[in-house]
Amino acid sequence: MNNNGMMEKEEIFSKVLRAGRRTYFFDVRATKAEDYYLTITESKKFTNDDGSFHYKKHKIYIYKEDFSEFKDILAEMTDYIINEKGDEVISERHQKDFKKEYEESTPRVTEDELKTPENFTDIDFDDI
């Protein structure tokens, strides 16, 4: 069997959820015995200092014999989070206008402190 035929056989049904810099792929795939299972892949985009980027992927496989319990526990956990914290996102990082603040290594100096005589530099105009 060629690779193209294998890909068609392997990917039966797919859905994508884009969530910021994360993308979740839900794929129904077939085993060699022609049974189906689910893969959930989290793909997270990282940007390098030079502007290039790469993705890190994590994948889990869920088989039919685990569907019922998986679905029940997932529903229980998501319901618990919503009941305890509501459905509003409270993390700053998930706000559209979020900008990460970096700590400065030097202490902040107020404008009044800058105006003190100790902060002026003596300039000898002959040096210019």
Side-chain angles (χ1 to χ4, degrees):
M1 190 181 288
N2 64 24
N3 284 342
N4 202 15
M6 186 65 160
M7 288 300 290
E8 288 176 20
K9 186 176 182 183
E10 195 174 319
E11 294 181 12
I12 310 300
F13 181 67
S14 296
K15 291 278 187 173
V16 176
L17 170 62
R18 288 182 174 72
R21 66 183 199 150
R22 286 184 171 88
T23 303
Y24 299 97
F25 299 92
F26 299 84
D27 298 301
V28 174
R29 298 181 181 264
T31 65
K32 289 180 183 177
E34 298 295 326
D35 204 359
Y36 290 169
Y37 64 98
L38 173 67
T39 63
I40 301 174
T41 306
E42 176 201 41
S43 178
K44 192 172 178 183
K45 185 177 183 178
F46 289 89
T47 305
N48 300 318
D49 291 338
D50 64 0
S52 63
F53 56 88
H54 66 279
Y55 294 93
K56 286 189 180 177
K57 295 182 180 181
H58 299 92
K59 185 177 286 199
I60 61 171
Y61 297 82
I62 306 164
Y63 297 94
K64 286 185 348 186
E65 60 268 22
D66 303 322
F67 284 178
S68 181
E69 284 185 84
F70 184 89
K71 190 167 69 169
D72 291 345
I73 291 172
L74 180 62
E76 181 181 355
M77 301 307 272
T78 55
D79 288 346
Y80 176 83
I81 292 169
I82 299 300
N83 290 336
E84 291 293 314
K85 296 294 181 180
D87 57 1
E88 180 182 347
V89 177
I90 58 175
S91 170
E92 292 178 336
R93 290 181 182 263
H94 291 91
Q95 295 174 3
K96 291 184 193 263
D97 59 349
F98 173 76
K99 289 185 176 69
K100 186 173 184 178
E101 293 182 23
Y102 295 96
E103 279 188 34
E104 295 180 12
S105 57
T106 58
R108 288 187 171 252
V109 179
T110 66
E111 193 173 325
D112 288 337
E113 290 173 322
L114 288 174
K115 293 178 183 176
T116 62
E118 297 86 33
N119 288 319
F120 289 105
T121 305
D122 287 334
I123 299 175
D124 187 353
F125 288 103
D126 292 336
D127 293 338
I128 297 180

